[in-house]
Amino acid sequence: MSPIQKRDFMKILVCISNVPDTTTKVTFTDNNTKFNTAGVQFIINPYDELALTRALEITEKQGGSVTAITVGLTDTEPSIRKALAIGAQDAVRINAEPTDAYFVAEQIAAYAKTENYDLILTGRESIDHNGGLVCGLLGEMLGIPSVNVITSIEVENGSATMERDIDGGKEKLTCKLPLVASAQKELTEPRIPNMRGIMAARTKPLKVVEPAASSATSATVAFELPAAKGGVKLIAAEQAEQLIEILHNEIKVI
Amino acid sequence: MSTSTSKEQFHQSNKPDQYNHPDYYLMDELLTEEHKMIRSTVRDYVKKELSPIIEDVAQKAVFPYHIVKQLGDLGCFGPQLPIEYGCGGMDYITYGIMMMELERCDSGVRSTASVQGSLVMYPIYKFGSEEQKKKYLPKLAKGEWLGCFGLTEPNHGSNPAGMTTNFRDAGDGKHVILNGAKMWISNSPFADVAVVWAKNEQGIIKGIIVERGMEGFTTPETHNKWSLRASATGELVFNDVKVPVENIMPGVEGLKGPLTCLNSARYGISWGALGSAMDCYDTALRYSKERVQFGKPIAGFQLQQKKLAEMLTEITKAQLLTWRLGVLMNEGRATPAQISMAKRNNVDMALNVARNARQMLGGMGITGEYPIMRHMMNLESVVTYEGTHDIHLLITGMDITGENAFQ
């Protein structure tokens, strides 16, 4: 990363994950080691969409550029194209299967190293594996501060002012740029692309980069679905004895 | 007539819109990534801005004027017209998908967009002078202006050739004098611009662009509709309206003008009706899995399964028909009779789906808690306007036999 520059023109990188739609019915294949993608709709990870929108708001206000980056094979291009339709100026796809958070962070870091971004934004976590690791890993790999789960960010004179939710209150912190931060739900409202954006996305540059050398650090042994939720039994308030009886004899918790 | 509505003035339903379109034959594979992106864009917009208020809007029969600007920003007005006039420059399938997603929410909302895109912008683009295109299209595309289309008259519905609205030379070389009345005009009470079809002194039909504010031009609203309550309908009344001659569209004369526009709009309706059918099916399917009677979800009973299976079969057939028509439209090969067939089939199909879905929901299907009865009532207009169900049958009949059975 470049030394801190005092300027308002922001060069921002937004990390995009391609995740199953929130209504997806999750099933597995290959002996429960792979997520079954058949018939599944993929979307931009909702937290990443917030990061992207906030990045656009910042650059629209004070000038700058927003690049969207994803680690994924060609099937992730609709999501990255949508990031362009929403407003990113250009996009990068690292042509590799995103096996785990470490691999993803490594690939993004390898690309970001040479590009001197002032700010890197990610979602707080991807809604498929919910790791929430990429932001912190990127900070370490690039040797810059990382701030997790921010609910607001303003950028001025080479530093960022951010807010985070903490137990029972809010934390407000400032940090010199460059830095990497991850977006929490409250960061902003997602932006729906319009027709002009979708048209413009046709001709915006989408660079495909081959992955940097890496060795696998983890492998999936098996996935498992949570046990199906049982039905709800309603017991009238005046029959408290019956409730105690059930809790004691059937469920054996008291 | 308020043009300053907002989402906040309507009751916001907190019931999540869980709509998901059925795709039994993997039709999504026939769409491009861009088509799918556009579909999700319009669907996201509908779920965020329209679904929470549509029931209240329809119950109160207030036109939510603020959506005109939103639809313009989104690009729903004339998406298939060229970029140089501020339009989308997209293909006909894109246009269809947008109409489908809007009508999935409400036929009235789709009607507003259909009229603007196909019946106002399209004729101006197709038959207007360069000056007319430059003056009207960008503002209509953005939703800064709302337009309406005047063809049907109190005494001339299925037989538009009999129209009596007429114009004559004002004698000053600069104006014509327009007289007559049009009826059942979507958007009319709020329209800034009306594309009006009227006969000249030789009895030849021409298209004239009439603007709000011209003396003698009024747009009384039609009240107490049991259908399309989320869109405004009215009349256009011309009482010696002085219209500049440059407002006459130079590019067409005769019934071909309005009929060309109707082809474009009917094409959009065929997609739109499919949207409302899918919403009814989707609602009924979800309800049937949740509603328990005799100890199990009603989805487990044969009579309900018959309804669902038949609905999905009809929807799937219509999806294929409509997609194919879209491809023909893109290639410039779709015939008016093919468009008639799709409009007639899909609206009729949607009405039947709505009626069966309504039955599955029992009493709940009657209330505004669910969209089905609203769709059903809306579709009674859709099956009537832009060529009635019967008239489209005669178009097909004439096309295949060569015999005119209209008169």
Side-chain angles (χ1 to χ4, degrees):
Chain A
M1 281 300 220
S2 67
I4 302 142
Q5 293 165 20
K6 284 209 170 182
R7 54 171 187 171
D8 286 337
F9 181 92
M10 296 288 296
K11 188 171 169 184
I12 305 179
L13 182 69
V14 179
C15 307
I16 300 286
S17 277
N18 185 54
V19 298
D21 194 359
T22 48
T23 56
T24 303
K25 215 170 163 204
V26 176
T27 57
F28 303 107
T29 60
D30 292 14
N31 233 352
N32 286 338
T33 56
K34 273 208 175 111
F35 171 60
N36 182 9
T37 56
V40 173
Q41 285 278 348
F42 280 83
I43 56 168
I44 298 181
N45 180 40
Y47 293 112
D48 301 347
E49 212 170 327
L50 299 176
L52 173 64
T53 308
R54 187 65 196 130
L56 292 169
E57 288 165 0
I58 291 171
T59 55
E60 280 159 13
K61 193 173 134 202
Q62 54 207 65
S65 66
V66 175
T67 301
I69 190 167
T70 197
V71 179
L73 300 174
T74 43
D75 60 308
T76 63
E77 285 205 4
S79 284
I80 200 97
R81 208 42 95 182
K82 186 172 176 193
L84 292 169
I86 292 171
Q89 273 83 6
D90 59 350
V92 178
R93 180 171 68 80
I94 312 285
N95 191 26
E97 181 82 30
T99 46
D100 63 15
Y102 191 87
F103 177 80
V104 168
E106 221 178 10
Q107 297 303 325
I108 293 172
Y111 182 82
K113 242 171 215 147
T114 56
E115 293 286 327
N116 300 327
Y117 291 105
D118 300 298
L119 179 64
I120 301 178
L121 291 175
T122 71
R124 60 169 283 182
E125 63 191 88
S126 59
I127 59 160
D128 48 3
H129 294 281
N130 303 86
L133 295 168
V134 170
C135 173
L137 287 168
L138 273 178
E140 280 305 301
M141 289 170 181
L142 292 168
I144 58 172
S146 63
V147 184
N148 254 329
V149 197
I150 58 167
T151 56
S152 77
I153 182 168
E154 296 293 338
V155 182
E156 210 175 15
N157 298 327
S159 76
T161 307
M162 292 159 283
E163 285 180 311
R164 313 170 63 215
D165 285 340
I166 53 172
D167 265 353
K170 260 184 195 298
E171 178 186 29
K172 191 170 184 175
L173 55 119
T174 63
C175 183
K176 290 240 161 80
L177 298 175
L179 64 86
V180 50
S182 71
Q184 168 67 312
K185 195 169 178 286
E186 293 76 16
L187 188 64
T188 188
E189 282 273 307
R191 202 178 272 193
I192 296 172
N194 62 22
M195 213 48 47
R196 284 169 272 280
I198 292 170
M199 289 285 291
R202 282 181 183 173
T203 51
K204 285 180 178 174
L206 196 172
K207 188 156 82 176
V208 179
V209 177
E210 287 309 313
S214 168
S215 52
T217 52
S218 75
T220 303
V221 178
F223 290 114
E224 198 175 302
L225 289 174
K229 282 184 190 155
V232 174
K233 194 182 266 182
L234 286 174
I235 296 161
E238 57 271 18
Q239 289 166 327
E241 292 86 7
Q242 196 193 340
L243 175 66
I244 292 164
E245 156 82 17
I246 291 170
L247 290 174
H248 186 66
N249 292 327
E250 270 184 45
I251 310 174
K252 299 189 166 107
V253 289
I254 54 169
Chain B
M1 227 63 55
S2 173
T3 53
S4 59
T5 62
S6 73
K7 187 181 171 190
E8 286 67 36
Q9 88 183 63
F10 298 102
H11 172 72
Q12 314 259 324
S13 162
N14 51 17
K15 199 170 155 194
D17 178 354
Q18 297 175 283
Y19 175 70
N20 213 343
H21 67 279
D23 186 17
Y24 203 68
Y25 265 36
L26 311 181
M27 294 286 298
D28 276 9
E29 291 173 12
L30 299 174
L31 301 176
T32 65
E33 283 310 324
E34 203 168 83
H35 290 145
K36 285 186 261 188
M37 200 193 298
I38 283 154
R39 182 177 63 193
S40 76
T41 286
V42 181
R43 191 172 299 173
D44 287 350
Y45 161 74
V46 164
K47 287 189 177 186
K48 185 167 171 233
E49 298 292 335
L50 297 183
S51 301
I53 61 168
I54 191 63
E55 190 56 41
D56 195 42
V57 165
Q59 294 279 1
K60 290 185 177 141
V62 173
F63 178 58
Y65 187 86
H66 67 279
I67 73 169
V68 174
K69 188 81 187 45
Q70 292 175 349
L71 293 171
D73 285 342
L74 210 57
C76 290
F77 296 143
Q80 80 284 21
L81 301 179
I83 298 170
E84 55 176 310
Y85 299 112
C87 307
M90 315 291 270
D91 66 355
Y92 267 95
I93 291 182
T94 300
Y95 173 62
I97 286 171
M98 290 178 135
M99 297 305 114
M100 177 172 73
E101 289 299 319
L102 292 179
E103 189 147 3
R104 194 284 291 181
C105 173
D106 190 90
S107 306
V109 173
R110 198 270 306 140
S111 296
T112 298
S114 271
V115 168
Q116 181 95 334
S118 279
L119 298 182
V120 181
M121 295 170 67
Y122 183 72
I124 293 174
Y125 166 68
K126 190 100 181 152
F127 309 125
S129 66
E130 196 55 34
E131 292 71 33
Q132 289 167 344
K133 292 182 211 182
K134 286 201 176 111
K135 178 175 178 190
Y136 297 106
L137 292 180
K139 284 201 165 72
L140 289 163
K142 282 198 202 101
E144 286 171 19
W145 281 351
L146 188 65
C148 68
F149 174 88
L151 175 65
T152 298
E153 297 185 354
N155 295 319
H156 300 92
S158 294
N159 175 25
M163 71 170 67
T164 57
T165 299
N166 64 88
F167 64 93
R168 60 184 156 79
D169 199 339
D172 62 358
K174 290 180 191 154
H175 295 87
V176 292
I177 305 291
L178 181 66
N179 276 294
K182 300 288 181 180
M183 206 174 183
W184 310 122
I185 310 301
S186 292
N187 295 356
S188 102
F190 292 90
D192 303 283
V193 177
V195 167
V196 178
W197 301 94
K199 285 178 178 163
N200 66 13
E201 282 157 289
Q202 290 76 47
I204 296 168
I205 296 171
K206 297 285 287 179
I208 304 182
I209 305 167
V210 182
E211 293 180 34
R212 182 169 297 281
M214 288 179 174
E215 213 181 313
F217 171 43
T218 50
T219 59
E221 184 164 4
T222 304
H223 293 288
N224 302 330
K225 293 178 293 175
W226 280 123
S227 181
L228 302 183
R229 291 169 65 83
S231 90
T233 309
E235 299 167 45
L236 302 174
V237 181
F238 313 103
N239 197 353
D240 282 336
V241 182
K242 230 172 138 183
V243 186
V245 285
E246 58 264 24
N247 282 31
I248 299 172
M249 294 193 287
V252 74
E253 55 181 40
L255 215 47
K256 179 174 172 286
L259 293 185
T260 306
C261 310
L262 290 175
N263 277 330
S264 172
R266 289 164 180 172
Y267 166 76
I269 292 172
S270 67
W271 282 87
L274 181 55
S276 51
M278 292 196 293
D279 195 46
C280 292
Y281 166 78
D282 184 60
T283 304
L285 175 62
R286 198 173 304 109
Y287 186 86
S288 71
K289 289 181 187 173
E290 290 164 1
R291 171 72 173 168
V292 175
Q293 285 292 281
F294 304 106
K296 65 174 179 181
I298 61 168
F301 293 101
Q302 287 186 349
L303 287 174
Q304 307 309 322
Q305 289 191 358
K306 176 176 190 288
K307 292 190 190 83
L308 287 168
E310 286 178 353
M311 281 183 215
L312 185 58
T313 306
E314 288 308 313
I315 286 170
T316 304
K317 283 151 71 178
Q319 284 172 330
L320 278 157
L321 177 90
T322 312
W323 173 80
R324 177 62 188 155
L325 183 65
V327 172
L328 292 174
M329 287 291 283
N330 281 344
E331 294 170 354
R333 295 197 290 151
T335 66
Q338 285 169 334
I339 297 169
S340 279
M341 184 183 278
K343 192 266 183 185
R344 182 175 188 274
N345 177 76
N346 289 10
V347 180
D348 186 55
M349 178 277 294
L351 258 172
N352 287 327
V353 167
R355 286 168 184 153
N356 279 310
R358 215 290 304 145
Q359 282 200 49
M360 289 185 66
L361 267 75
M364 291 311 285
I366 308 273
T367 73
E369 284 291 299
Y370 292 88
I372 295 175
M373 191 117 174
R374 180 165 45 79
H375 280 308
M376 199 202 300
M377 296 194 300
N378 283 340
L379 288 163
E380 289 294 339
S381 292
V382 182
V383 80
T384 303
Y385 70 18
E386 309 246 4
T388 65
H389 191 62
D390 290 344
I391 286 290
H392 284 297
L393 181 110
L394 296 182
I395 291 173
T396 308
M398 187 165 86
D399 196 50
I400 55 184
T401 64
E403 299 283 344
N404 180 345
F406 289 95
Q407 48 195 352

